[in-house]
Amino acid sequence: MSRDDTIILPRVESETAEAEQHEALIELDGVGMTYPGPPPVEALRPVELRVETGEYVAIVGPSGSGKSTLLNLLGLLDAPTTGTYFLDGHDTSKLSESKRTGLRAAKIGFIFQSFHLMAHRTATENVAMALVYRGVPRRRRKQIARAKLELVGLGHRLDAVPTTLSGGERQRVAIARALATDPSLLLCDEPTGNLDSATADAVLATIDELHGRGLTILMITHDHDVAERAERAVTIRDGRLSEGNHAH
């Protein structure tokens, strides 16, 4: 895909100095999240996390550990109540809501446990929908969608609707949709949670291949077998992050 279709956002204050200081794709500096009460709930205690461009990192934790809160912060769906989140050199705390939305659209691709596909749209149309709000012309949207579906091994299912696809194929359509905007970060939230083990392994192999092509992967999971695919693992429990000793 040509970068001509990508939204280019200006970096916030002092672009050159900031880029030199923050080379990581993701850098959390004392980031925490407290939901107002009464009583207030500290869902994520102030954490530090650095993810380099091209890394594959798993964040592992049980239900209620703070994974969803962290996912929403990393995906720019919520803003932290404390600390600073740098994404590709952008201090997200200094961005307006509209610029945060633009940055999210330009930099992050999401894969969820539920596929969130439109049932009466073809695989190509589902993937192309990711480009509608970026002003990409219809013909170009279709070209990009087909290319991304071929990338994930679905070149033979371009005109299939989700009801005729297997669970693994539907998740690969969702992966293709996440890739449509050529994101810097693929943020995965339990992407194999609804799949049997063989199908899950095939989907994870696709994600492995994308990482091999240089894409930065951040996998949120409760499954230690899934986390084993990553280069390193970070554990979250009771809203606290701790670096694991696991290396791929």
Side-chain angles (χ1 to χ4, degrees), residues 71-146:
L71 172 77
N72 288 342
L73 294 175
L74 289 168
L76 297 177
L77 299 170
D78 289 331
T81 50
T82 60
T84 307
Y85 172 21
F86 288 92
L87 176 61
D88 199 19
H90 300 270
D91 181 350
T92 63
S93 66
K94 297 181 179 179
L95 298 179
S96 65
E97 183 59 35
S98 62
K99 287 188 176 181
R100 279 165 46 86
T101 300
L103 184 62
R104 180 172 64 244
K107 297 292 183 181
I108 305 174
F110 292 89
I111 306 174
F112 299 101
Q113 180 174 335
S114 299
F115 317 122
H116 300 306
L117 301 179
M118 300 181 70
H120 302 295
R121 299 276 186 173
T122 67
T124 299
E125 290 169 339
N126 267 283
V127 175
M129 287 293 292
L131 299 164
V132 169
Y133 298 108
R134 301 185 68 180
V136 180
R138 181 186 295 270
R139 178 173 294 186
R140 181 64 179 144
R141 293 200 303 265
K142 187 174 182 179
Q143 291 173 341
I144 293 170
R146 287 176 174 267

Side-chain angles (χ1 to χ4, degrees), residues 11 22-26 53 86-90 103 107 184:
R11 291 179 182 268
H22 301 282
E23 297 175 352
L25 180 63
I26 290 173
T53 299
F86 288 92
L87 176 61
D88 199 19
H90 300 270
L103 184 62
K107 297 292 183 181
S184 302

Side-chain angles (χ1 to χ4, degrees), residues 25-238:
L25 180 63
I26 290 173
E27 189 166 2
L28 305 184
D29 183 9
V31 166
M33 185 70 175
T34 299
Y35 295 103
V41 176
E42 191 175 29
L44 186 69
R45 301 171 192 275
V47 300
E48 314 291 324
L49 179 67
R50 183 180 177 93
V51 177
E52 305 292 343
T53 299
E55 270 198 291
Y56 186 170
V57 177
I59 296 179
V60 192
S63 177
S65 60
K67 295 196 309 295
S68 295
T69 298
L70 182 58
L71 172 77
N72 288 342
L73 294 175
L74 289 168
L76 297 177
L77 299 170
D78 289 331
T81 50
T82 60
T84 307
Y85 172 21
F86 288 92
L87 176 61
D88 199 19
H90 300 270
D91 181 350
T92 63
S93 66
K94 297 181 179 179
L95 298 179
S96 65
E97 183 59 35
S98 62
K99 287 188 176 181
R100 279 165 46 86
T101 300
L103 184 62
R104 180 172 64 244
K107 297 292 183 181
I108 305 174
F110 292 89
I111 306 174
F112 299 101
Q113 180 174 335
S114 299
F115 317 122
H116 300 306
L117 301 179
M118 300 181 70
H120 302 295
R121 299 276 186 173
T122 67
T124 299
E125 290 169 339
N126 267 283
V127 175
M129 287 293 292
L131 299 164
V132 169
Y133 298 108
R134 301 185 68 180
V136 180
R138 181 186 295 270
R139 178 173 294 186
R140 181 64 179 144
R141 293 200 303 265
K142 187 174 182 179
Q143 291 173 341
I144 293 170
R146 287 176 174 267
K148 298 306 181 185
L149 285 165
E150 288 169 2
L151 179 64
V152 299
L154 288 180
H156 62 300
R157 302 291 268 156
L158 299 175
D159 297 320
V161 294
T163 53
T164 67
L165 298 173
S166 69
E169 287 174 329
R170 278 179 278 171
Q171 189 60 291
R172 280 189 280 160
V173 172
I175 293 172
R177 181 183 57 199
L179 297 174
T181 57
D182 278 352
S184 302
L185 170 67
L186 193 60
L187 192 55
C188 310
D189 181 22
E190 304 279 7
T192 59
N194 287 335
L195 306 175
D196 62 72
S197 58
T199 304
D201 191 66
V203 167
L204 291 171
T206 299
I207 294 173
D208 291 344
E209 182 180 347
L210 294 171
H211 173 242
R213 292 170 176 263
L215 186 60
T216 307
I217 310 289
L218 205 153
M219 176 78 67
I220 308 288
T221 183
H222 71 279
D223 190 332
H224 289 274
D225 289 336
V226 171
E228 284 291 328
R229 314 285 292 235
E231 292 176 308
R232 69 183 173 103
V234 178
T235 299
I236 184 167
R237 185 176 293 276
D238 298 327

